[in-house]
Amino acid sequence: MLKLDFHPTGRHFLQIPGPSPVPDRILRAMSLPTIDHRGPEFATLGKKVTQGMQAIFKTRHPVVIYPASGTGAWEAALVNVLSPGDHVLMYESGHFASLWARMATRLGLSTELLAYQGADDQLPQAPSWRRGVQADLIEERLTNDPEHRIQAVCVVHNETSTGVTSDIAAVRRAIDAARHPALLMVDSISGLASADFRHDEWGVDVTVSGSQKGLMLPPGISFNALSPRALEASKSARLPKAFFAWDEIVEMNKTGYFPYTPSTNLLYGLSEALDMIADEGLEAVFARHQRWAAGVRAAVSAWGLAIQCADPAVYSPVLTGVIMPAGVDADAVRALIYERFDLSLGTGLGKVKGRMFRIGHLGDSNDLTLMATLAGCEMGLKLAGVGLQGSGVQAAMDYFASHAAPALKRPG
Ligand SMILES: *Cc1c(COP(=O)(O)O)cnc(C)c1O
């Protein structure tokens, strides 16, 4: 028998950057009885979640919700606007960017990868993928495409494999400066609802997102936010699409329904998450993640370890990548911390596997859960024999104590 009902005292610390810890309030909302997805009550839920997601993406245009993980929404974004053999410019900022590019190639697109080649990637011991998208490289490449063969530019907003964000507004400016008609497609699977994101203002054509990161839901639903240009492109795009096709979904969503059975209980959870985010205020949600991230970085700096993101301007508010000293296997440290302290940290992915681990600071958390997380890391690093310069726990305590969060709004 598969034993999933393992209950030690206390709770497991799920500090990976997605799935994030799900608030009890959302779990309870999801435990309500499943209703008829063609019945009258459902339309209220359907309209609430599609409209609510427009506020989260900061868009006036349709948001499509798929019963799929983020990978499904990646595929949906590509197949709706592109045709076989189309040339797509993708920026390899990290592992998720390279996976999206691999998918594009598998779908029959011609993919071209741009990547940062700067000096700090050549430092001895420093792994690559330490900077955000360099918009000038995109502008230069588009300027050298006078025939407009490039149909789309794809970038990742928050690279979950590294803890590096990218300036999406700058990418839009680069495309416009090159006077290029390529569509701008953005993966904000782990950025949305944790880091500021503005679909309309930044001129994004398709934004892809998922449920299990900033939205604090279990995995299982994902999103495409559209632009009028993307909708127009979808009418003539020729990659095969049926289940993922926007047209029927957008049409039925107007009445609050879906062309197929939606993930009703996850939509209950989404409705609850939208209420929670609206109560707190989206800008306060972003500030909360920035503050957590600063506290975690204070700890990493005090340990004397390097942060994967080499550019302070683009530190991720969602997660922090911690580089291990040469000769230390980051996965061995993670395994030890998991065994000893029931704390899950994110593994290094792709090129940086074994070189770094990731601390997630998103989802159902607060100062003290992060302090516990950092204590687990510090104990584990010491047990693994990693030489630390000082106490990260002390540094994070000092940071959180001296940077007060807004007072909690308690009832009564
Ligand atoms: C999690 C994640 C994905 C993959 O989403 P799944 O839900 O695992 O399919 C893609 N891109 C980014 C940036 C992610 O964080």
Side-chain angles (χ1 to χ4, degrees):
M1 204 183 92
L2 183 61
K3 188 125 176 67
L4 290 173
D5 59 346
F6 170 64
H7 289 298
T9 56
R11 72 159 171 87
H12 175 67
F13 276 75
L14 182 68
Q15 300 298 144
I16 59 174
S20 55
V22 180
D24 291 351
R25 195 177 144 181
I26 289 181
L27 290 173
R28 279 196 299 273
M30 289 181 49
S31 71
L32 292 176
T34 305
I35 56 171
D36 175 5
H37 62 288
R38 312 257 183 229
E41 278 168 81
F42 188 88
T44 313
L45 174 66
K47 283 185 193 157
K48 176 180 170 184
V49 293
T50 46
Q51 287 165 12
M53 285 309 292
Q54 289 179 306
I56 303 287
F57 281 103
K58 298 188 180 168
T59 180
R60 290 177 296 114
H61 305 294
V63 174
V64 172
I65 306 177
Y66 293 110
S69 85
T71 305
W74 261 352
E75 177 161 338
L78 297 172
V79 299
N80 271 283
V81 297
L82 297 167
S83 298
D86 274 357
H87 199 71
V88 183
L89 186 64
M90 306 186 92
Y91 195 103
E92 194 207 311
S93 52
H95 185 66
F96 286 105
S98 55
L99 285 181
W100 199 12
R102 197 175 75 116
M103 167 187 272
T105 304
R106 290 185 64 159
L107 286 169
L109 297 164
S110 149
T111 50
E112 177 180 336
L113 283 181
L114 284 181
Y116 179 72
Q117 302 295 348
D120 65 7
D121 283 359
Q122 262 84 61
L123 288 179
Q125 295 161 28
S128 46
W129 292 342
R130 302 189 67 195
R131 293 191 176 250
V133 170
Q134 311 290 300
D136 53 337
L137 292 184
I138 292 178
E139 181 177 338
E140 190 185 307
R141 180 62 188 91
L142 293 179
T143 307
N144 288 323
D145 179 36
E147 288 158 22
H148 297 164
R149 262 186 3 102
I150 295 168
Q151 298 293 322
V153 173
C154 298
V155 294
V156 174
H157 174 221
N158 183 69
E159 239 313 338
T160 325
S161 62
T162 57
V164 178
T165 61
S166 283
D167 182 346
I168 303 303
V171 177
R172 166 45 71 194
R173 285 196 298 275
I175 297 173
D176 292 349
R179 298 176 185 279
H180 200 290
L183 294 169
L184 172 56
M185 307 180 67
V186 178
D187 167 343
S188 190
I189 294 184
S190 65
L192 194 78
S194 296
D196 190 15
F197 191 83
R198 309 177 192 182
H199 180 85
D200 287 1
E201 189 186 316
W202 293 346
V204 183
D205 291 298
V206 188
T207 305
V208 179
S209 196
S211 57
Q212 77 272 27
K213 315 233 166 136
L215 288 168
M216 310 177 290
L217 298 174
I221 53 176
S222 55
F223 310 90
N224 277 179
L226 317 181
S227 75
R229 277 193 70 218
L231 276 164
E232 201 47 45
S234 71
K235 291 178 189 157
S236 53
R238 286 175 289 101
L239 276 176
K241 55 177 179 289
F243 180 75
F244 283 131
W246 293 333
D247 53 358
E248 291 177 2
I249 304 173
V250 169
E251 194 50 38
M252 279 202 76
N253 277 174
K254 289 178 184 162
T255 57
Y257 296 97
F258 288 79
Y260 45 73
T261 315
S263 311
T264 307
N265 290 57
L266 276 163
L267 297 182
Y268 291 155
L270 178 57
S271 166
E272 196 71 13
L274 290 168
D275 288 347
M276 291 175 71
I277 293 168
D279 283 351
E280 185 176 355
L282 208 40
E283 307 310 312
V285 170
F286 302 150
R288 173 162 54 75
H289 287 85
Q290 292 285 4
R291 183 176 164 279
W292 285 346
V296 170
R297 288 195 303 269
V300 180
S301 301
W303 288 327
L305 298 173
I307 291 170
Q308 173 72 26
C309 179
D311 177 3
V314 290
Y315 281 144
S316 171
V318 176
L319 73 138
T320 299
V322 184
I323 300 176
M324 287 294 93
V328 176
D329 175 3
D331 283 335
V333 177
R334 281 179 51 250
L336 188 153
I337 292 171
Y338 174 76
E339 283 304 323
R340 290 288 299 267
F341 306 114
D342 201 23
L343 161 61
S344 290
L345 298 164
T347 184
L349 293 166
K351 274 191 217 173
V352 294
K353 182 150 187 64
R355 311 288 306 278
M356 55 87 90
F357 65 83
R358 298 169 297 148
I359 303 174
H361 26 85
L362 72 169
D364 194 36
S365 257
N366 59 30
D367 290 5
L368 296 187
T369 56
L370 290 178
M371 285 313 312
T373 299
L374 293 169
C377 292
E378 187 162 316
M379 288 188 283
L381 286 163
K382 282 187 184 163
L383 286 168
V386 178
L388 302 179
Q389 268 172 21
S391 170
V393 169
Q394 186 62 53
M397 287 199 299
D398 291 346
Y399 184 87
F400 288 136
S402 60
H403 295 77
L408 297 178
K409 285 180 224 154
R410 297 187 192 276

